[in-house]
Amino acid sequence: MTNTNKPNGSAMLERAHQNMPMGVADSYRYWGEDNTVFLSSMKGCTITDCDEQTFTDFRLAYGPIILGYRDERIDNAVVDAITNIGSISGFSTGLDSDVVELIKSLCPNIEKMRFANSGTEAVIGAVRTARGFTGRNKIVVVEGGFHGLHDEVMWKSDVDNWDVANEKDPAIIPFGAGIPDSTKDHQVSVPLNNFDALDAVFKAFGDDIAAILIEPIMGNCGSIASTQEYMQKLRDICDANGSLLILDEVKTGFRVAKGGAQELYGIHADLTTYAKAMGNGYPVAGFGGRADVMDTISFAKNGVTHGGTYTANMVALSAAKATLTVLKETDALANVDKVGRDIQELLSRVFTKHGVEHRFAGPDSMFGVHFGSEVPQNYRDWKQTNSDLYTEFAMNLIANGVMLEPDSREPWFICEAHKDMDLAWLEQVADKSMADAITAHNA
Ligand SMILES: Cc1ncc(COP(=O)(O)O)c(C=O)c1O
């Protein structure tokens, strides 16, 4: 695939193997000895590897890029801030409230907020705050959801090795070694959009459930989305049981709508986590929601502790302020949606031409592509889709200059810069990639 005739890439990986486990800084960047990608630059919606192959990128660093790489509106604001204010101080600046007020103007679910440096940290803060507020421990999560790399949420339903014909639920397994069994004790998982499973969990543990923690649209599971009715059910069951609803909008926030998924559903969480699109790629994150819940964060005897050396640093917050201002004041997200729709239409033409049954899941700005006759309603349904054909198709796209994750559990991410891309070219590449995938698949 990508490393055929990639002398610089091969040399980079060989060097990196001397310096980092697996030769990468994040294990998910390792795509094998032949396919691990090393970049030299990125701009707009394109990335260029160290062997000078350019790709139109639909991976977008797993979602943070919402305007485009190296967007000058954002980069200039960051340079201005670090030149004229500083990068970090260990004290507060007016930027803190500037950003929260911008978010409050876009997201009516937010009354008060705190900042973090990654989605992982934002989720840790939200869960701890929910536990502090309710005085309870258990968290309900959804199969196929992802909430970062902290031990407690690093348990997953092993749908990959699940036998569909077997009536039993998939096994719950850790992401790997080093995760104590005890971290599973306070977690229960349910399949998305299944009312009975939710009722059963609340019947069993209701008065110890601090919160439901859910991605409303599973950006880590093919953009499979909560139905409107299920989202209402989540809200109602939390209210009835004194539990909090935490919506993890790390991927959907400031991407699927200015007010995130909650604007689409018209249903508000008690606490929400944000990251990714909030800073167009700069490392900024946050969590917030109801003032009475957030005010649990205090030095009072029963108060929740939150903070960190790099919290609300000026690089992160100046990027967030500039990005949120652009998203608020321009048609950027409408542009993203339009090109996302156009791309789904052209892909649909290609799949239909080749007789491949397909369904799209999720919103236009981060849509999932599933080869099958139904839109999956949860992770178990995803198992019924032809994900092997998808991977074959995706690998061919990559070889021909279209970058995406070769796993249908990762959606296609769109940024504003895609609006200027050559859609006719993409259709040709998709056509050839699908023809070759079918030949290989049938061989
Ligand atoms: C929904 C969701 N929550 C949390 C995280 C963790 O974010 P980070 O990788 O910034 O720690 C991710 C990352 O992809 C995510 O998609």
Side-chain angles (χ1 to χ4, degrees), residues 26 61-64 117-123 145-150 153 213-220 248-252 273-276 284-285 410 413:
D26 169 325
Y62 291 115
N117 300 293
S118 66
T120 296
E121 239 190 74
V123 173
F146 178 73
H147 303 289
L149 297 183
H150 49 116
V153 291
L213 168 66
I214 176 178
E215 289 177 87
I217 300 161
M218 293 200 288
N220 300 280
D248 185 349
E249 294 228 44
V250 162
K251 274 190 170 165
T252 51
T273 56
Y274 297 111
K276 305 218 179 200
V284 59
E410 195 65 25
F413 287 103

Side-chain angles (χ1 to χ4, degrees), residues 68-177:
Y69 290 107
R70 278 162 58 198
D71 187 293
E72 287 177 6
R73 294 167 290 185
I74 313 310
D75 292 356
N76 290 343
V78 173
V79 170
D80 189 51
I82 58 178
T83 309
N84 295 307
I85 308 175
S87 60
I88 189 168
S89 70
F91 285 112
S92 301
T93 71
L95 267 175
D96 310 9
S97 276
D98 287 350
V99 175
V100 178
E101 284 166 9
L102 264 169
I103 292 178
K104 283 164 69 172
S105 73
L106 296 170
C107 307
N109 49 298
I110 299 296
E111 293 174 349
K112 286 193 172 178
M113 269 192 84
R114 277 291 179 94
F115 293 104
N117 300 293
S118 66
T120 296
E121 239 190 74
V123 173
I124 292 173
V127 168
R128 187 184 305 133
T129 304
R131 286 182 167 142
F133 180 77
T134 58
R136 301 171 176 183
N137 285 323
K138 274 208 166 21
I139 302 293
V140 179
V141 295
V142 164
E143 288 178 3
F146 178 73
H147 303 289
L149 297 183
H150 49 116
D151 292 355
E152 211 186 338
V153 291
M154 290 177 72
W155 293 91
K156 60 181 177 188
S157 294
D158 190 14
V159 166
D160 273 330
N161 295 307
W162 178 54
D163 174 7
V164 182
N166 183 335
E167 297 282 289
K168 285 206 192 113
D169 294 336
I172 307 283
I173 58 166
F175 276 41

Side-chain angles (χ1 to χ4, degrees), residues 142-370:
V142 164
E143 288 178 3
F146 178 73
H147 303 289
L149 297 183
H150 49 116
D151 292 355
E152 211 186 338
V153 291
M154 290 177 72
W155 293 91
K156 60 181 177 188
S157 294
D158 190 14
V159 166
D160 273 330
N161 295 307
W162 178 54
D163 174 7
V164 182
N166 183 335
E167 297 282 289
K168 285 206 192 113
D169 294 336
I172 307 283
I173 58 166
F175 276 41
I179 300 168
D181 280 347
S182 60
T183 59
K184 190 171 61 167
D185 290 353
H186 295 311
Q187 201 197 97
V188 199
S189 100
V190 291
L192 185 70
N193 291 325
N194 183 323
F195 284 50
D196 292 344
L198 200 57
D199 284 334
V201 160
F202 270 84
K203 193 162 174 222
F205 307 109
D207 56 8
D208 192 30
I209 295 177
I212 298 178
L213 168 66
I214 176 178
E215 289 177 87
I217 300 161
M218 293 200 288
N220 300 280
C221 195
S223 271
I224 299 172
S226 171
T227 62
Q228 183 68 33
E229 296 72 28
Y230 189 75
M231 189 62 80
Q232 188 62 54
K233 170 84 178 172
L234 295 173
R235 184 63 277 169
D236 294 344
I237 208 163
C238 282
D239 290 344
N241 289 276
S243 308
L244 299 186
L245 178 58
I246 306 176
L247 291 184
D248 185 349
E249 294 228 44
V250 162
K251 274 190 170 165
T252 51
F254 314 111
R255 165 171 286 283
V256 303
K258 291 182 185 182
Q262 295 174 62
E263 181 179 321
L264 302 183
Y265 287 98
I267 289 174
H268 291 172
D270 300 300
L271 291 174
T272 305
T273 56
Y274 297 111
K276 305 218 179 200
M278 179 177 169
N280 195 45
Y282 285 90
V284 59
F287 64 98
R290 278 169 44 189
D292 60 331
V293 176
M294 287 301 288
D295 282 336
T296 314
I297 298 174
S298 77
F299 285 136
K301 187 160 165 280
N302 293 323
V304 164
T305 300
H306 170 261
T309 306
Y310 295 102
T311 305
N313 68 78
M314 280 78 101
V315 176
L317 289 201
S318 58
K321 181 175 174 181
T323 305
L324 294 167
T325 303
V326 172
L327 294 177
K328 180 176 174 175
E329 293 178 357
T330 73
D331 290 335
L333 288 188
N335 293 331
V336 166
D337 283 344
K338 159 118 186 34
V339 69
R341 267 193 309 281
D342 290 346
I343 291 170
Q344 286 167 85
E345 275 169 25
L346 78 81
L347 289 174
S348 195
R349 278 196 297 276
V350 169
F351 301 152
T352 304
K353 174 179 165 191
H354 291 280
V356 176
E357 269 198 305
H358 60 279
R359 293 288 180 270
F360 297 102
D364 299 325
S365 56
M366 50 176 270
F367 59 87
V369 178
H370 301 283

